[in-house]
Amino acid sequence: MVLRRFLPALPPLLAFAGILAIWELLSLYFGLDGLPPPSVALRQVPVILTDPQSLFDIVDSLRRMAIGIVLALVFAIPVGLWMGRSRFAAAFFNPLLSVIYPVPKAALMPIIMLWLGVGDASKILVIFLGVTLPLIYHSYQGSRAVEEKLLWSAAAMGMQPPARLARIVLPAALPEILVGCRTALVLGLITMVTSEMIARQTGIGNLVFQSLEMGIYDTVYAMIVIIGALGFILDVLFERLRGWLVGWAEPAQSIIVGST
Amino acid sequence: MSQAELTSPRIAAEERNALRQSSMISIERVSKYFDTRRDKRHLALSEITLPVTRGEFVSILGPSGCGKSTLLYIVGGFVQPSSGQVLVNDRPVEGPGPDRGPVFQEFALFPWKTVLGNVTYGLDQRGVPKAEAVARARALLAMVSLSGYENFYPKELSGGMKQRVAIARTLAYKPNILLMDEPFGALDAQTRTRLQNDLLKIWDEDRKTVLFVTHSVEEAVFLSDRVVMMSRSPGRIQDIIDIDLPRPRDRASLLLDRRYQDYVVNIERMMDAQTGDHS
Ligand SMILES: Nc1ncnc2c1ncn2[C@@H]1O[C@H](COP(=O)(O)OP(=O)(O)OP(=O)(O)O)[C@@H](O)[C@H]1O
Ligand SMILES: [Mg+2]
C-alpha cells in the first residue's frame, strides 16, 4: 500500500541520485577547483537559503519574472486568439513573428539597457520579449483549431463575435494556451537569469556571477542547483494549476518545451 | 388551410409565391460551390428550392456527401450560399439566430462545460434566470435519460450520450425551427426508437418547424410530413414524397400499417435506382 503510493516518485529520485553520483565521480576524478563535488557544493544550498540578502535576491528575481510573464500573457493571448480567428490578423502578424522568433531576446539586453537603464524595466522587458512569442504561437494554434461548430452553436444561441472570442475561443483554446504557458515559464526563468548576468545589480543571475568572479565555486554550483530546483517546483505547481483548469480536456496534449 | 398546403403534392414553381406567405422557411434556388485545391469548383448543392410550412416536419434523405449538412448550415445562417437565398419568416437569412436551433452531426458540445452547463448555456445566453434554467435543463436531461450525469464532462460520455446532450441543449432554448443533422445517428436501436417518440411528442406540443437529416428511411417516414430525397454530384432534390399517415403516430401500429410499409419500400427502391454504389 505505502509502497504503491511512493512508487511513482521512484524513477525521478533515481534520476537525481544518478546525476549526483556522476557529478561526484567526475569531480573526484578531475579534482578541479571549478568542479567541487556535490557533497561540498550542496552544503551551500541551506546557507544561501537562510541568508536574507540572497533570499531577497531570489524573491526579487521571481518578482520580475512574474511581472514579465503576466504582461506577456495579457498581450500575447488576445493577439494569438485574434490571429487564429482572423485571416487579416494572421497575415499581418505571422511574418513579423517569424522574423522575431529566432532572435535571442537576451542578446537584446545591452541595447534595451541603453534605453531603459539597468533597472527593473529592462529586465522585465527582456523577460516579456522572451516569453511572448511562444505564448502568441500556442494561443494562435489553439484558436485556429477551435472547432467551427462550437462557434456556430454559440452564434445560434445569440452570442456575438466579440463575446465568442472570450467565451468560446478562449476556453476551447485553453489547453493549447497552457502548453505555451509551460514553455513560457521555462523560458522566463532562463531569460530572467540571463538578463541579470548582463545587467548586474540584484537577482539570482547576479549571485551566480558574483560568486564566479570571486572564485566561490561551491556557491556557484549551489545556485545552479537552486535555479534547477526553482524550475522544477514552478513546473510542478504549474501542472497542478493545469490539471485544475483543463481537467475537462481530452488527454493526448503532448507537451514539448521549446528551446531558446 | 395550411394543412391543405402541408399535405399537397409537390409544389409547382408557380405556386411558390402563394406559398411564401405561409412558409416558415423558404429555400429558393440555393446553390453552393466549394473551391477545391485543383482550382476547380465543386458544386455541392445545385438549385435547391424547398418551401417548408410552419410546423412542418421535413426529413432529408440522401447519400453521403450529397450536401445535406451544407443545406442545413445555409438555413442556419452559418454558411453563405453561392447563389439563391433562404427566407425565414419572410426575411432573408443573414446569419445565425436563436430562432433556428441546430443539432450538429458532430455534437459540438462545449468540452469545458459539464452536461448541465452545456444544456443551460443557451438559456444563460438568453438571460433566463439561473434557477429556471437549471430546472428546465434537468427536465430535458430526464427526457433524454441522462439524469445523474449532470456533472459529467463531455469527454466522459459515450457518443450516443453526447448526441442526447446536444439535443437537450438545443431544445432548451426553444428555437422555433429545429435543424437536426442525423441527431440519432450514434444511438442504439432502442434509444433511437425512444427518442424518436419523444421528439414527436415534443413536436406535437408546440409544432416546431423541423428540418431533419437522416440516413434511415424508416425514421424519415415515421417522423415526417414530407421526405425530401436528394441525389449526389451535384446535390439536388430528386423527389419529395408526402407522408400521408395519421398523427399522433404510434410506432407499433405504423409498422403493421400497409401504407407505412409502402412508403418505406418505395423510397428505398427510388434510392437504389438513383445510386448504383452504396454509401
Ligand atoms: N468546407 C468545405 N469545403 C469544401 N468542400 C466541402 C466543404 N463542406 C462540404 N464540402 C463538400 O460538399 C459536399 C457535401 O457535403 P455535406 O457535408 O453537406 O454532405 P452530407 O450530405 O451531409 O454527407 P453525410 O451524409 O456524410 O453527412 C461534399 O462533397 C463535401 O466534400
Ligand atoms: Mg452531413
Side-chain angles (χ1 to χ4, degrees), chain A residues 142-166:
Chain A
S143 160
R144 216 164 52 145
V146 172
E147 205 193 323
E148 207 172 26
K149 267 132 213 164
L150 293 183
L151 291 160
W152 290 2
S153 298
M157 294 170 183
M159 200 187 286
Q160 297 305 309
R164 271 181 259 160
L165 201 62

Side-chain angles (χ1 to χ4, degrees), chain A residues 118-201:
Chain A
V118 291
D120 275 4
S122 300
K123 291 168 193 160
I124 290 172
L125 179 60
V126 168
I127 294 168
F128 171 87
L129 291 175
V131 304
T132 295
L133 287 171
L135 279 176
I136 291 183
Y137 179 74
H138 282 281
S139 308
Y140 170 48
Q141 292 301 332
S143 160
R144 216 164 52 145
V146 172
E147 205 193 323
E148 207 172 26
K149 267 132 213 164
L150 293 183
L151 291 160
W152 290 2
S153 298
M157 294 170 183
M159 200 187 286
Q160 297 305 309
R164 271 181 259 160
L165 201 62
R167 296 197 50 204
I168 304 293
V169 178
L170 177 62
L174 196 59
E176 182 66 29
I177 293 175
L178 290 183
V179 174
C181 287
R182 194 176 181 194
T183 311
L185 208 56
V186 177
L187 285 182
L189 194 66
I190 294 171
T191 322
M192 169 191 87
V193 175
T194 321
S195 76
E196 291 162 351
M197 288 175 168
I198 298 167
R200 305 262 206 96
Q201 259 187 331

Side-chain angles (χ1 to χ4, degrees), chain A residues 147 149-160 167-169 171-172 247-251, chain B residues 73 78-79 96-98 100 102 104 106 108-112 121-122 125-126 153 155 169 173:
Chain A
E147 205 193 323
K149 267 132 213 164
L150 293 183
L151 291 160
W152 290 2
S153 298
M157 294 170 183
M159 200 187 286
Q160 297 305 309
R167 296 197 50 204
I168 304 293
V169 178
W248 49 264
E250 308 276 350
Chain B
Y73 300 159
F78 310 116
V79 166
R100 284 151 291 147
F104 294 114
E106 307 86 345
L109 298 178
F110 303 126
W112 61 93
Y121 204 93
Q125 198 55 39
R126 313 231 43 76
Y153 283 98
K155 74 161 178 185
R169 179 179 67 174
Y173 58 90

Side-chain angles (χ1 to χ4, degrees), chain B:
Chain B
M1 57 167 187
S2 76
Q3 199 60 29
E5 287 154 4
L6 194 141
T7 48
S8 72
R10 187 126 66 112
I11 291 110
E14 58 266 26
E15 290 174 44
R16 203 191 304 140
N17 277 341
L19 259 177
R20 247 197 195 177
Q21 273 90 41
S22 60
S23 288
M24 185 74 168
I25 308 169
S26 181
I27 302 168
E28 300 181 345
R29 305 187 55 147
V30 162
S31 298
K32 180 66 184 174
Y33 291 99
F34 286 108
D35 293 322
T36 56
R37 292 291 134 73
R38 287 146 265 124
D39 59 44
K40 263 179 17 192
R41 296 203 302 175
H42 172 70
L43 183 57
L45 289 175
S46 169
E47 299 272 329
I48 303 284
T49 297
L50 178 71
V52 180
T53 324
R54 186 179 305 277
E56 195 179 12
F57 199 122
V58 174
S59 287
I60 301 173
L61 271 175
S64 183
C66 73
K68 305 181 294 294
S69 297
T70 306
L71 185 61
L72 281 199
Y73 300 159
I74 290 172
V75 175
F78 310 116
V79 166
Q80 299 305 312
S82 307
S83 66
Q85 65 171 348
V86 176
L87 303 181
V88 168
N89 270 327
D90 300 323
R91 290 227 298 276
V93 166
E94 267 151 17
D99 55 333
R100 284 151 291 147
V103 178
F104 294 114
Q105 214 170 345
E106 307 86 345
F107 328 130
L109 298 178
F110 303 126
W112 61 93
K113 288 279 178 190
T114 60
V115 166
L116 190 68
N118 266 282
V119 180
T120 55
Y121 204 93
L123 296 170
D124 296 344
Q125 198 55 39
R126 313 231 43 76
V128 175
K130 188 84 190 162
E132 196 189 323
V134 170
R136 202 189 294 176
R138 284 186 190 280
L140 281 165
L141 286 172
M143 188 204 84
V144 296
S145 308
L146 283 174
S147 294
Y149 289 95
E150 286 86 352
N151 296 320
F152 280 56
Y153 283 98
K155 74 161 178 185
E156 298 163 322
L157 304 177
S158 73
M161 292 161 87
K162 285 183 201 169
Q163 201 154 40
R164 284 179 278 157
V165 177
I167 294 167
R169 179 179 67 174
T170 301
L171 291 176
Y173 58 90
K174 298 186 172 167
N176 290 328
I177 297 171
L178 284 173
L179 305 172
M180 308 182 91
D181 198 352
E182 302 186 32
F184 302 149
L187 302 180
D188 60 279
Q190 220 178 334
T191 315
R192 189 171 182 142
T193 309
R194 220 177 39 66
L195 279 179
Q196 287 171 354
N197 285 320
D198 287 339
L199 179 63
L200 274 192
K201 224 182 293 161
I202 292 172
W203 178 79
D204 255 338
E205 279 167 21
D206 54 0
R207 293 275 163 142
K208 291 179 190 310
T209 310
V210 186
L211 272 183
F212 187 99
V213 170
T214 175
H215 278 129
S216 157
V217 176
E218 285 98 337
E219 183 170 81
V221 174
F222 175 55
L223 295 174
S224 316
D225 297 313
R226 277 195 294 157
V227 175
V228 175
M229 295 171 60
M230 289 180 64
S231 61
R232 186 167 38 188
S233 310
R236 55 163 51 108
I237 293 182
Q238 184 201 3
D239 229 318
I240 300 178
I241 289 109
D242 286 295
I243 306 298
D244 196 5
L245 293 171
R247 291 188 189 271
R249 290 180 187 166
D250 171 61
R251 193 180 155 81
S253 49
L254 265 194
L255 286 176
L256 295 170
D257 192 318
R258 186 58 205 266
R259 288 172 299 171
Y260 170 83
Q261 297 163 1
D262 283 346
Y263 279 127
V264 172
V265 171
N266 283 336
I267 293 174
E268 268 174 1
R269 280 213 187 104
M270 288 159 84
M271 295 195 30
D272 277 348
Q274 170 205 141
T275 40
D277 57 345
H278 290 274
S279 49

Side-chain angles (χ1 to χ4, degrees), chain A residues 101-126:
Chain A
Y101 210 165
V103 176
K105 307 306 172 300
L108 299 175
M109 191 64 190
I111 302 170
I112 291 171
M113 280 159 60
L114 292 179
W115 313 334
L116 298 177
V118 291
D120 275 4
S122 300
K123 291 168 193 160
I124 290 172
L125 179 60
V126 168

Side-chain angles (χ1 to χ4, degrees), chain A residues 191-223:
Chain A
T191 322
M192 169 191 87
V193 175
T194 321
S195 76
E196 291 162 351
M197 288 175 168
I198 298 167
R200 305 262 206 96
Q201 259 187 331
T202 63
I204 297 177
N206 185 40
L207 276 179
V208 176
F209 268 59
Q210 243 171 19
S211 319
L212 194 62
E213 280 171 1
M214 294 193 279
I216 317 171
Y217 296 117
D218 45 357
T219 304
V220 173
Y221 281 89
M223 277 311 297

